[in-house]
Amino acid sequence: MTIEQHINKLRQELNLHNHKYYVENAPSISDYEYAQMLRQLQEIEELNPQYKDPNSPTMRVGSDLTNSFRTVRHNFPMLSLSNTYSLEELGEWIDKVEQEVAEAEYVCELKFDGTAISLCYENGHLLRAVTRGDGEMGDDVTENVRTIRSVPLVLQGDDYPSYFEIRGEIFMPYSSFDRLNQEREQQGEALFANPRNAAAGTLKQQQSQVVARRGLDCTLYQLAGKELPFSSHSESLKAARRWGFKVSSHMALCHSFEQIAQFISHWDEARHSLPFPTDGIVIKVNRYADRKTLGSTSKAPKWAVAYKFKAEQALTKLLKVSYQVGRTGAITPVANLEPVLLAGTTVKRATLHNADQIAALDLREGDMVYVEKGGEIIPKITGVELGERDASSTPLQYITHCPECGAELVRYEGEAKHYCPNQSHCRPQIIGRIIHFIRRKAMNIESLGEETVELLFENGLIGNIADLYDLRIEQIASLPRLGDKSARNILQSIASSREVAFNRVLFALGIRFVGETTAKYLAAHFGSMEAIMQASREELLEAEEVGGKIADSIIDYFADEQNREIIQRLQRAGLQFVAAKQEKASNALEGENIVISGSFEQYSRDELKALIEAHGGKNLAAVSANTTLLLAGAKIGPAKLQKAQKLGIRIISEQEFIQLIDGNVAIAEPEPEIESITPQQPIQGSLF
Ligand code: IVH
C-alpha cells in the first residue's frame, strides 16, 4: 500500500467510526482504539505534509488561529418560515395549500432552536459552511463547523450530486449548555441566557478549538441544489441520512390536518424530555412538484410553515421591584408580582437580571407585564402591556445605594450588575459569607443551619467566619429555640470542621471566582495558605485554571486587612492551612504527571486521583506539554485524545493503570454498549 492509500484508508475508517459515534449513537470500536488510529494518521500526515487535507478527521480539534469570517453570497437564498401560533391559523394554511394541490402530503419535523447553517459539498467533501445572515449573504464559518463531530467532512456512498447545499440547524444540547454555563460561572463570566444564544455565540468564536470543546451538534433538514435527483423532501432526507448526515428521526409523513395536529400535540408534551431545545413544529409540503406550484414570497416559502409552541405566558401586575444583595455584594433586581398561575405553579416573583434589562423593557411599577417560563427555570418578564399603562406612571429609577446598608453602589467595568462595595458591614453579605462557609461542600457545619446563623448574627455573637470558633456553649444555649443539646451539637460540628482539608477551607473563604475546583488546583499547586498569600500575580497564573480575573480577585482578597485578620484567627483556631500529604503506597508513578479523562469502571475519578498520589504520581487537570500519561476512560473527548497524541503522551486504559500500580489484576469485562435511543412512539402517518 502506498502512503497515500494508507492515509485514505485510515481517514475512511475514522470517518466511519466518527459517524457511528456521533450520528448513529452506536460506537463500533472503543475510544481507545479510535484514539490509536487517529494518532497513527496524525503521525503519517505530519511526515507527509503533501497529503494535508482540511477535511481529514485530524482537523476536528480546531486551532487557536484567529478566524475572520468572510461574507459570502448564498447560491440559493436562505428563506425563513412564516409562523403560526394556533391550530386555527395552521388550518387556514392547510386550506390554502389544498386549494392548489391535490392530495397534498406533509412532512412534520421538529423546529430545532439553534442557529441556521448552510453546508456546501463538492464531490462529497465539505467545501463551506455559511450562516444564514440576511438570507442572501452570510458569514463563512467553515473552520468552526468542521469541529462539530456530527457534520460529515466526507460523505458516504457515491450517489450524491457533485455539488449541493444542505441546510440545517446548529444547536447546543442541554448537557453542553449546562456544562458551559457552569464553567462560565466558576470563572465569573457572564452566562448565556439560553442554548440558542450559546450556539450562535459559539459559532462566531474566533478560535475553532474553543468551538471544538463546546459540544455543538448539527441536524440537517433541507436540501438545496439545481436538479436534485429526488421528487420529494422525504426522499431527499433519506438520501442525506445515507450520505452520513444527521437527520432527525422525529418526523412523520402526514396526509391530513388531524394527523398533523396529532403530531403537534404529541411533541408539545414530549419535547420536554428531548435532550435539546425545540420551539415548534415545521410542516412542509412533501412533493417537490407541489412546492413548485405553491411557490415562495421573497421572505418565505408558501409550501412550509412553522407552528410555534406557546411559551407558557401569563399577564399580571408588577407590584414592586425589590433588590437582593448576594454574598459578593451583587445586586439582583426582583419583580414582585400579583400572584398568577403559570405552567402549573403560582408565580409571585420573577428575576430582572440587572438595570439594563429594566431599562430595555421600560418597566414601571404598576405595569401589566407578561411573565414567561421558557427554557429557563426562573420565570422572566418578557414585555409590558402598554395599552394598560397608567398615564401617571414614571420610569423606574434604579437604586443608587444599597437597600441593606446604604452604601453607594458601584458598577465594575464589563459587568452588567451593580455591586455594594461595603463587604464588611452589609448584612446579607456577611451572613451570605458565613452561610457559604458552613456549606456541606465547604466546612460542612450544616448542623448550624441558615436560621441559626441569622440568629447568632442578630444577637451579636458572630460577625464573621472566624467568630464561629470563639462561640461558647452558654452563648448558644441561651438563644431562643436552642437548648443545651443543640448547642453541644453545633459546637461539636464546628470543632470537627478543624479537620476539613485545606482545599475546602480555601473554597469556604468565599473568594470571588474561587470555586471548588479552582480551590483544589490552588491547594495542590501552592500547598499552603501562606504560599498563596505570598504569591505574586504571575505565580498565581501558573496554577492550573487560574486566569487574570481569578488571580486579581485572590490578590484583592488577601490585600484586605480585615480578611488577613480573619485568616490569622482561623489559623489560630486550628484549621487546616496546609495540603495534607497522602500516605505513600509505592513509588510506581514517581515522576509521572497524569491526566484522567472519561469514565471508568472499577474506580471513581476521585479514587483514581488518590491512587495516583498514593503511588507517587501527580494529577494534572488538563493535557499540556508537562503531561506524561493520559489515563483514558470510556467516553473520553476526542479533542483531549488528539491533543495528547499530538504531544506524544502515552495513553493508558484503566486496566493498564491498575497493572502499573499493582501488576496482577484480571482483565475487565468488555465495555457495555451505549444505550440506544428509545424508539419514538408511532404517530399517525408513516415515519421515516
Ligand atoms: S426549514 C425554507 N426545518 O427555523 C425553509 N427550519 O424560523 C427553511 N428551523 O431559519 C427552513 N428547525 O433556522 C426548517 N426542521 C426545520 C427547522 C427549521 C428549525 C429554523 C431555521 C429557520 C427558522 C425559521
mmCIF file of all heavy atoms in Angstrom, residues 106-127:
data_model
loop_
_atom_site.group_PDB
_atom_site.id
_atom_site.type_symbol
_atom_site.label_atom_id
_atom_site.label_comp_id
_atom_site.label_asym_id
_atom_site.label_seq_id
_atom_site.Cartn_x
_atom_site.Cartn_y
_atom_site.Cartn_z
ATOM 1 N N TYR A 106 -47.665 15.968 3.684
ATOM 2 C CA TYR A 106 -46.909 16.892 4.527
ATOM 3 C C TYR A 106 -45.871 16.130 5.331
ATOM 4 O O TYR A 106 -46.127 15.017 5.783
ATOM 5 C CB TYR A 106 -47.833 17.596 5.518
ATOM 6 C CG TYR A 106 -48.970 18.338 4.862
ATOM 7 C CD1 TYR A 106 -50.199 17.707 4.672
ATOM 8 C CD2 TYR A 106 -48.813 19.653 4.435
ATOM 9 C CE1 TYR A 106 -51.255 18.379 4.070
ATOM 10 C CE2 TYR A 106 -49.870 20.322 3.844
ATOM 11 C CZ TYR A 106 -51.086 19.686 3.659
ATOM 12 O OH TYR A 106 -52.116 20.347 3.072
ATOM 13 N N VAL A 107 -44.721 16.759 5.501
ATOM 14 C CA VAL A 107 -43.745 16.200 6.426
ATOM 15 C C VAL A 107 -43.727 17.103 7.651
ATOM 16 O O VAL A 107 -43.588 18.319 7.521
ATOM 17 C CB VAL A 107 -42.338 16.131 5.793
ATOM 18 C CG1 VAL A 107 -41.301 15.716 6.826
ATOM 19 C CG2 VAL A 107 -42.339 15.159 4.626
ATOM 20 N N CYS A 108 -43.904 16.500 8.819
ATOM 21 C CA CYS A 108 -43.828 17.265 10.064
ATOM 22 C C CYS A 108 -42.472 17.007 10.712
ATOM 23 O O CYS A 108 -42.031 15.863 10.805
ATOM 24 C CB CYS A 108 -44.908 16.821 11.042
ATOM 25 S SG CYS A 108 -46.541 17.221 10.476
ATOM 26 N N GLU A 109 -41.821 18.077 11.122
ATOM 27 C CA GLU A 109 -40.490 17.958 11.743
ATOM 28 C C GLU A 109 -40.444 18.796 13.007
ATOM 29 O O GLU A 109 -41.238 19.714 13.164
ATOM 30 C CB GLU A 109 -39.413 18.509 10.785
ATOM 31 C CG GLU A 109 -39.417 17.868 9.443
ATOM 32 C CD GLU A 109 -38.476 18.570 8.465
ATOM 33 O OE1 GLU A 109 -37.755 19.500 8.878
ATOM 34 O OE2 GLU A 109 -38.466 18.159 7.294
ATOM 35 N N LEU A 110 -39.475 18.521 13.826
ATOM 36 C CA LEU A 110 -39.260 19.387 14.988
ATOM 37 C C LEU A 110 -38.636 20.693 14.514
ATOM 38 O O LEU A 110 -37.877 20.704 13.542
ATOM 39 C CB LEU A 110 -38.290 18.728 15.980
ATOM 40 C CG LEU A 110 -38.723 17.417 16.600
ATOM 41 C CD1 LEU A 110 -37.632 16.906 17.542
ATOM 42 C CD2 LEU A 110 -40.029 17.605 17.370
ATOM 43 N N LYS A 111 -38.964 21.758 15.188
ATOM 44 C CA LYS A 111 -38.282 23.019 14.909
ATOM 45 C C LYS A 111 -37.167 23.161 15.946
ATOM 46 O O LYS A 111 -37.437 23.391 17.128
ATOM 47 C CB LYS A 111 -39.263 24.183 14.997
ATOM 48 C CG LYS A 111 -38.669 25.486 14.512
ATOM 49 C CD LYS A 111 -39.772 26.515 14.310
ATOM 50 C CE LYS A 111 -39.263 27.770 13.640
ATOM 51 N NZ LYS A 111 -38.187 28.443 14.331
ATOM 52 N N PHE A 112 -35.961 22.954 15.482
ATOM 53 C CA PHE A 112 -34.808 22.993 16.386
ATOM 54 C C PHE A 112 -34.500 24.436 16.741
ATOM 55 O O PHE A 112 -34.554 25.314 15.881
ATOM 56 C CB PHE A 112 -33.588 22.348 15.713
ATOM 57 C CG PHE A 112 -33.797 20.886 15.468
ATOM 58 C CD1 PHE A 112 -34.415 20.444 14.307
ATOM 59 C CD2 PHE A 112 -33.419 19.955 16.410
ATOM 60 C CE1 PHE A 112 -34.642 19.100 14.097
ATOM 61 C CE2 PHE A 112 -33.636 18.607 16.210
ATOM 62 C CZ PHE A 112 -34.253 18.174 15.042
ATOM 63 N N ASP A 113 -34.159 24.663 18.001
ATOM 64 C CA ASP A 113 -33.951 26.033 18.445
ATOM 65 C C ASP A 113 -32.461 26.331 18.557
ATOM 66 O O ASP A 113 -31.862 26.229 19.627
ATOM 67 C CB ASP A 113 -34.657 26.220 19.799
ATOM 68 C CG ASP A 113 -34.861 27.684 20.113
ATOM 69 O OD1 ASP A 113 -34.612 28.519 19.228
ATOM 70 O OD2 ASP A 113 -35.260 27.986 21.249
ATOM 71 N N GLY A 114 -31.887 26.638 17.412
ATOM 72 C CA GLY A 114 -30.452 26.943 17.397
ATOM 73 C C GLY A 114 -30.216 28.044 16.396
ATOM 74 O O GLY A 114 -30.923 29.045 16.400
ATOM 75 N N THR A 115 -29.252 27.820 15.515
ATOM 76 C CA THR A 115 -28.941 28.841 14.523
ATOM 77 C C THR A 115 -28.766 28.150 13.166
ATOM 78 O O THR A 115 -28.176 27.074 13.084
ATOM 79 C CB THR A 115 -27.710 29.646 15.006
ATOM 80 O OG1 THR A 115 -27.467 30.684 14.107
ATOM 81 C CG2 THR A 115 -26.471 28.806 15.137
ATOM 82 N N ALA A 116 -29.337 28.758 12.131
ATOM 83 C CA ALA A 116 -29.391 28.075 10.829
ATOM 84 C C ALA A 116 -28.009 28.040 10.166
ATOM 85 O O ALA A 116 -27.204 28.963 10.332
ATOM 86 C CB ALA A 116 -30.385 28.779 9.924
ATOM 87 N N ILE A 117 -27.763 27.000 9.405
ATOM 88 C CA ILE A 117 -26.477 26.862 8.716
ATOM 89 C C ILE A 117 -26.708 26.255 7.333
ATOM 90 O O ILE A 117 -27.640 25.490 7.141
ATOM 91 C CB ILE A 117 -25.506 25.960 9.541
ATOM 92 C CG1 ILE A 117 -24.070 26.080 9.025
ATOM 93 C CG2 ILE A 117 -25.940 24.503 9.538
ATOM 94 C CD1 ILE A 117 -23.361 27.312 9.460
ATOM 95 N N SER A 118 -25.876 26.656 6.405
ATOM 96 C CA SER A 118 -25.925 26.053 5.079
ATOM 97 C C SER A 118 -24.566 25.400 4.817
ATOM 98 O O SER A 118 -23.526 26.051 4.914
ATOM 99 C CB SER A 118 -26.181 27.153 4.047
ATOM 100 O OG SER A 118 -26.238 26.575 2.776
ATOM 101 N N LEU A 119 -24.587 24.118 4.521
ATOM 102 C CA LEU A 119 -23.344 23.397 4.253
ATOM 103 C C LEU A 119 -23.248 23.119 2.760
ATOM 104 O O LEU A 119 -24.209 22.628 2.158
ATOM 105 C CB LEU A 119 -23.321 22.060 5.009
ATOM 106 C CG LEU A 119 -23.592 22.088 6.513
ATOM 107 C CD1 LEU A 119 -23.620 20.666 7.067
ATOM 108 C CD2 LEU A 119 -22.532 22.912 7.225
ATOM 109 N N CYS A 120 -22.104 23.440 2.160
ATOM 110 C CA CYS A 120 -21.922 23.178 0.726
ATOM 111 C C CYS A 120 -20.953 22.017 0.575
ATOM 112 O O CYS A 120 -19.879 22.004 1.198
ATOM 113 C CB CYS A 120 -21.320 24.382 0.019
ATOM 114 S SG CYS A 120 -22.120 25.914 0.461
ATOM 115 N N TYR A 121 -21.310 21.071 -0.276
ATOM 116 C CA TYR A 121 -20.452 19.909 -0.536
ATOM 117 C C TYR A 121 -20.117 19.841 -2.012
ATOM 118 O O TYR A 121 -20.978 20.004 -2.875
ATOM 119 C CB TYR A 121 -21.162 18.610 -0.115
ATOM 120 C CG TYR A 121 -21.156 18.450 1.393
ATOM 121 C CD1 TYR A 121 -22.101 19.100 2.167
ATOM 122 C CD2 TYR A 121 -20.183 17.685 2.036
ATOM 123 C CE1 TYR A 121 -22.091 18.986 3.548
ATOM 124 C CE2 TYR A 121 -20.161 17.568 3.423
ATOM 125 C CZ TYR A 121 -21.119 18.219 4.172
ATOM 126 O OH TYR A 121 -21.094 18.107 5.536
ATOM 127 N N GLU A 122 -18.833 19.609 -2.268
ATOM 128 C CA GLU A 122 -18.391 19.442 -3.647
ATOM 129 C C GLU A 122 -17.712 18.094 -3.739
ATOM 130 O O GLU A 122 -16.804 17.802 -2.944
ATOM 131 C CB GLU A 122 -17.417 20.563 -4.006
ATOM 132 C CG GLU A 122 -17.250 20.719 -5.486
ATOM 133 C CD GLU A 122 -16.437 21.978 -5.799
ATOM 134 O OE1 GLU A 122 -15.299 22.083 -5.280
ATOM 135 O OE2 GLU A 122 -16.934 22.837 -6.522
ATOM 136 N N ASN A 123 -18.159 17.303 -4.658
ATOM 137 C CA ASN A 123 -17.638 15.939 -4.817
ATOM 138 C C ASN A 123 -17.549 15.201 -3.483
ATOM 139 O O ASN A 123 -16.569 14.509 -3.197
ATOM 140 C CB ASN A 123 -16.264 15.959 -5.495
ATOM 141 C CG ASN A 123 -16.359 16.590 -6.867
ATOM 142 O OD1 ASN A 123 -17.375 16.411 -7.556
ATOM 143 N ND2 ASN A 123 -15.354 17.358 -7.244
ATOM 144 N N GLY A 124 -18.547 15.389 -2.680
ATOM 145 C CA GLY A 124 -18.628 14.634 -1.425
ATOM 146 C C GLY A 124 -17.780 15.189 -0.299
ATOM 147 O O GLY A 124 -17.698 14.588 0.769
ATOM 148 N N HIS A 125 -17.122 16.342 -0.522
ATOM 149 C CA HIS A 125 -16.298 16.932 0.530
ATOM 150 C C HIS A 125 -16.906 18.250 1.009
ATOM 151 O O HIS A 125 -17.369 19.043 0.186
ATOM 152 C CB HIS A 125 -14.878 17.206 0.026
ATOM 153 C CG HIS A 125 -14.062 15.954 -0.077
ATOM 154 N ND1 HIS A 125 -14.348 14.973 -0.995
ATOM 155 C CD2 HIS A 125 -12.992 15.521 0.631
ATOM 156 C CE1 HIS A 125 -13.480 13.981 -0.844
ATOM 157 N NE2 HIS A 125 -12.643 14.294 0.136
ATOM 158 N N LEU A 126 -16.857 18.473 2.321
ATOM 159 C CA LEU A 126 -17.358 19.739 2.850
ATOM 160 C C LEU A 126 -16.510 20.871 2.298
ATOM 161 O O LEU A 126 -15.288 20.891 2.458
ATOM 162 C CB LEU A 126 -17.287 19.758 4.388
ATOM 163 C CG LEU A 126 -17.678 21.081 5.032
ATOM 164 C CD1 LEU A 126 -19.159 21.367 4.852
ATOM 165 C CD2 LEU A 126 -17.326 21.098 6.526
ATOM 166 N N LEU A 127 -17.191 21.815 1.621
ATOM 167 C CA LEU A 127 -16.467 22.907 0.982
ATOM 168 C C LEU A 127 -16.579 24.162 1.839
ATOM 169 O O LEU A 127 -15.609 24.877 2.058
ATOM 170 C CB LEU A 127 -17.109 23.156 -0.389
ATOM 171 C CG LEU A 127 -16.504 24.222 -1.270
ATOM 172 C CD1 LEU A 127 -15.119 23.798 -1.712
ATOM 173 C CD2 LEU A 127 -17.407 24.440 -2.488
#
